[in-house]
Amino acid sequence: MTEDDFWTLVAASGTRPGDRQAREDWLGRRLLELPADAVAAFQARLEAAVDAAYTWPLWDAAARIEDGWCSDDGFVSFRLWLVARGRTVYETAVADPDTLAALPELRALAGRRIEDWDDEEWPEWERLDRIAREVWNQTTGRDGEDFDAFYDAVDAADLVTGDAARARDPEGGEPSGRRGELLPRLAALFPRPDGLD
């Protein structure tokens, strides 16, 4: 599973009709066609992309979009959602989070109360992180609760993909970049509730 293979699968899942569940089902079926080590490598690539997006400016953007606050878990889900937007959107947003203001799915949320957003609209996608594990368990005949075996396979895939030096859970450390970056385009779309921008 090369990096290009990973992003091709992500992009193809994004063109599928239907809701997130339909995209998850499609991606799961594509992963079921692959050997177990390629499924683990997909997860390694996914984790590497999520880890690379662990930055203060992107966290500030997520908090801005989500009404001024974004928890640790919410930020993980936000980064998974960002990966699911595809390579170009992902790389552009990691380099400059304010570019997220151009995304039609976020522009559609602007001016609406966060309580009125439905599950499909939320810029978070926690379940994306579970698809490869579920497929790997099915492919290998493992118990769905045997997380260690799956993550051992992901770690082995890291050695092949060259991502072995990264930490599995960077949330133990500080995000990269500076906190409090100006995000003028996002601020215009999602003004702070207290009016202090």
Side-chain angles (χ1 to χ4, degrees):
M1 172 77 53
T2 67
E3 188 171 8
D4 286 342
D5 293 337
F6 168 78
W7 286 111
T8 297
L9 266 176
V10 169
S13 74
T15 64
R16 307 314 303 168
D19 60 9
R20 287 185 191 174
Q21 184 63 55
R23 289 181 67 188
E24 291 168 13
D25 293 345
W26 182 89
L27 184 56
R29 288 191 303 274
R30 296 296 77 76
L31 290 175
L32 270 171
E33 297 170 358
L34 302 175
D37 61 337
V39 176
F42 177 90
Q43 181 69 22
R45 295 282 183 198
L46 178 62
E47 290 182 10
V50 169
D51 291 354
Y54 188 55
T55 70
W56 279 124
L58 202 52
W59 203 334
D60 288 343
R64 167 67 67 176
I65 293 162
E66 296 184 5
D67 208 24
W69 188 78
C70 181
S71 69
D72 294 352
D73 289 343
F75 187 45
V76 173
S77 294
F78 178 85
R79 288 178 284 150
L80 287 162
W81 172 87
L82 180 60
V83 170
R85 309 277 60 79
R87 188 177 204 165
T88 300
V89 169
Y90 165 84
E91 289 177 348
T92 302
V94 170
D96 179 5
D98 207 29
T99 60
L100 290 168
L103 293 183
E105 54 265 56
L106 292 181
R107 296 183 73 76
L109 299 176
R112 293 175 46 205
R113 293 176 346 131
I114 199 166
E115 298 84 11
D116 295 334
W117 299 357
D118 69 35
D119 290 343
E120 286 290 317
E121 293 178 301
W122 266 92
E124 294 185 358
W125 196 349
E126 180 183 1
R127 262 206 45 78
L128 184 60
D129 194 36
R130 298 183 188 138
I131 298 169
R133 186 183 72 225
E134 291 168 0
V135 169
W136 188 87
N137 286 334
Q138 189 174 349
T139 301
T140 61
R142 298 276 184 163
D143 181 339
E145 299 302 314
D146 189 0
F147 299 122
D148 290 341
F150 173 67
Y151 288 111
D152 286 347
V154 172
D155 289 341
D158 282 349
L159 297 174
V160 175
T161 62
D163 296 326
R166 71 174 172 77
R168 169 164 312 290
D169 186 9
E171 280 75 15
E174 284 288 308
S176 63
R178 292 185 316 195
R179 194 168 210 170
E181 293 284 323
L182 294 178
L183 303 165
R185 288 175 282 178
L186 283 173
L189 281 180
F190 301 98
R192 284 179 45 184
D194 57 15
L196 301 173
D197 278 317

